[in-house]
Amino acid sequence: MGLRILLLCSTDNGLCRRARLVLQRSGNTVRTATVADSDDIGKVVARTDFDLIICPYLTARIPDWVTRRWWPKVVVIHPGPVGDRGPSSLDWAITDQEPVWGVIAVTATDVMDAGPLWATRTFALPQGRRKSDIYSSIISDAAVQCIVEVADKAADPTYRPTDQADAHRPIAHARTRPRMRQSDRAFDWRDDSELIRRRILAADGSPGVRSHIADRSVYLYDAHPGRRDVVASAGAVVGRRHHALEIACGDGKSIWIGHLRVDLGDRWSCKAPAVSVLGRAGVPARSLSPIAGQASASATPEVFEDIAYRSIDEQVGELTFRAYNGAMSTDLCRRLARAIRAVSLRDSRVLVVRGETGKTFSNGLHLGAIECADDPANAAWQNIVALNEVCKELLLCPKLTLVAVTGSCGAGGAVMTQAGDVVVAIGRAVLDVHYATMGLRGSELHSFTLPRRVGAATAHRLLTECEPVDTTRALDIGLVDHVGPDIEFDLWLNELAHEYALPELWEKTIRRKHQHLAHDLGHRPLEVYECRELAEMAANLFDDSLGFAAKRRAFMQKGSPRPSTGQGVLDMEDLMNSRRH
């Protein structure tokens, strides 16, 4: 018989959803409660008894009576190794370039992260990656392992967690660190470009790093290496490509900034593509001459690219796109559709369409770009039409298309995958196949592709019950065809793509594709499905029939800094609750 487990979280993020799914699969009864403060926690806990309370991601303080009542079975997940304490653990680790890091599960006490130890994991910390990408992949993997171990130990009435003073410390210098403030993250554009980029990586996706571009106060996100031979004043905008801006640094190099928040005077903008959000602040960034590039894996890393193609060999081609936090702008969708169409003319048998391993695959519409637009409803309409074009190019591509879900995905991003002939996913991925929580009916040809894969009844449940699906469940119901390992996923994917390029399997898959399309579209053209979906989306977007505008705005303004007061620099972290147990 499983345990009754309560997951307390400030946001039901990817880690919380993964934890719930894996605990439920082990036979436990799991409830997730999203709480804003200590009062919320008290109300939730007072209503029901639990065998175990786990806090995968919690910023509110847990009331003392809760920890006493369930001692020691109120367990907090901390993204740091034994001995590390504080609310900015991962930020400091990335900033300090720690080679090895860890995750611990500890009993909640009145001293943050100091309670008895239930479980711990250590791992190599990759360099040059965004905090949110590390959190959603390596940190999340280790945290889920710790959570499973905690549940197993909690089922043993004789088990007692270990005092941290007696526990092995694999990282000897781990210690209590304060909350990282903007003063700790600060840089000058005259600094070394790599130092600047590392500061931004350590604050991305939240809270960002406070700086200035074109005399505008901004928070910076989505930083990438730029050119090595830039002759310009440090801090000058020296180029643009797609939605990104190129900024000169003090060492003669540059960095690309893909996303910003900007101070609009009476408020801060939401996080949105850099070129468009600066335009909202009156900076004509689009007047800059764009820097040329090419959608090729051999293109210089000095040029910002979010779509790249490489021909692995004569059998397999691979098209990789990068969507920041899974958000696919209208421009990205249009270019991706054109890229699929172009590479479909090449000689390879199999086309792999994928994201970057360890990062969010796709969440569909770019809500930030929509919110920042002069006419959000029309911007959303253009975005959904462009995303539909990607789906149609995948569905009707003459090649065998293998869509590789390289990280978690949701809404239109999850449904988009169903247009592929073969769908595979990395094991850690969670798929949220629904739109309803954002006030949308959705499109992406879901009324055609989803029932073909999972059946009409299951498709209806996925779209209406709004429950996340892990890859085990996705494989069971036919949402994906194969699940790959979290470690060495790229190697596994390459081998699988070449298996599908073998004559017998390729011919079988292509024949089935053509038969299904001919049969399913023979009496009802694809345009009929799309028109019906878009008719419902038009009501959602232009009539706001399900509250999309308010839900989008609330989602995009989470964690936003307050308006300027004219009384000095605001520290974004001062405006957010510190993480307290």
Side-chain angles (χ1 to χ4, degrees), residues 130-300:
R130 297 193 300 129
K131 178 178 69 171
S132 56
D133 291 336
I134 294 173
Y135 182 87
S136 64
S137 56
I138 299 169
I139 294 288
S140 182
D141 291 348
V144 168
Q145 293 170 18
C146 287
I147 288 169
V148 170
E149 184 176 336
V150 168
D152 290 342
K153 290 176 175 177
D156 178 0
T158 66
Y159 177 77
R160 292 293 179 270
T162 304
D163 191 304
Q164 283 198 57
D166 301 325
H168 172 62
R169 294 181 57 159
I171 301 170
H173 60 273
R175 63 199 186 278
T176 301
R177 300 291 297 267
R179 177 166 50 93
M180 184 175 277
R181 303 169 66 90
Q182 284 297 326
S183 57
D184 301 309
R185 305 181 192 275
F187 65 84
D188 190 297
W189 285 112
R190 292 171 293 185
D191 290 337
D192 178 86
S193 57
E194 186 55 33
L195 179 148
I196 295 172
R197 192 171 74 92
R198 191 165 64 248
R199 295 284 173 89
I200 299 171
L201 292 173
D204 196 346
S206 178
V209 178
R210 183 75 177 263
S211 186
H212 288 82
I213 293 179
D215 296 324
R216 300 302 193 277
S217 186
V218 296
Y219 280 89
L220 302 173
Y221 312 86
D222 193 17
H224 305 271
R227 288 181 288 173
R228 298 183 178 90
D229 54 353
V230 175
V231 181
S233 301
V237 180
V238 293
R240 70 172 175 88
R241 179 155 173 78
H242 308 313
H243 65 273
L245 295 173
E246 186 184 22
I247 314 296
C249 303
D251 57 357
K253 301 178 183 179
S254 66
I255 63 171
W256 290 95
I257 299 296
H259 283 72
L260 300 170
R261 292 184 191 267
V262 65
D263 188 351
L264 298 175
D266 60 334
R267 69 190 189 283
W268 284 83
S269 75
C270 65
K271 187 191 303 183
V275 170
S276 60
V277 78
L278 275 185
R280 291 285 289 176
V283 179
R286 291 191 180 277
S287 64
L288 290 168
S289 298
I291 293 177
Q294 55 182 341
S296 168
S298 61
T300 169

Side-chain angles (χ1 to χ4, degrees), residues 498-545:
H498 281 87
E499 286 183 26
Y500 272 94
L502 295 173
E504 184 176 352
L505 184 55
W506 180 84
E507 290 172 3
K508 176 183 176 181
T509 308
I510 284 290
R511 188 185 316 114
R512 185 174 66 240
K513 171 181 183 171
H514 291 159
Q515 289 172 346
H516 285 176
L517 287 176
H519 176 268
D520 296 340
L521 298 179
H523 66 288
R524 182 177 297 171
L526 190 61
E527 289 78 10
V528 173
Y529 294 91
E530 183 180 24
C531 286
R532 287 180 175 176
E533 293 172 5
L534 290 179
E536 292 188 321
M537 284 291 286
N540 299 158
L541 300 179
F542 296 103
D543 300 332
D544 204 18
S545 58

Side-chain angles (χ1 to χ4, degrees), residues 382-448:
Q382 297 298 327
N383 202 167
I384 194 65
V385 169
L387 187 51
N388 280 3
E389 289 302 312
V390 175
C391 298
K392 284 186 279 191
E393 292 295 340
L394 278 173
L395 185 68
L396 303 177
C397 180
K399 295 188 180 301
L400 189 160
T401 55
L402 191 159
V403 177
V405 180
T406 48
S408 292
C409 57
V415 175
M416 177 184 73
T417 65
Q418 302 303 287
D421 302 322
V422 180
V423 183
V424 306
I426 194 168
R428 68 165 68 96
V430 173
L431 293 82
D432 280 290
V433 191
H434 61 83
Y435 316 80
T437 53
M438 195 51 66
L440 297 173
R441 293 289 188 185
S443 189
E444 293 88 21
L445 311 180
H446 71 78
S447 58
F448 176 71

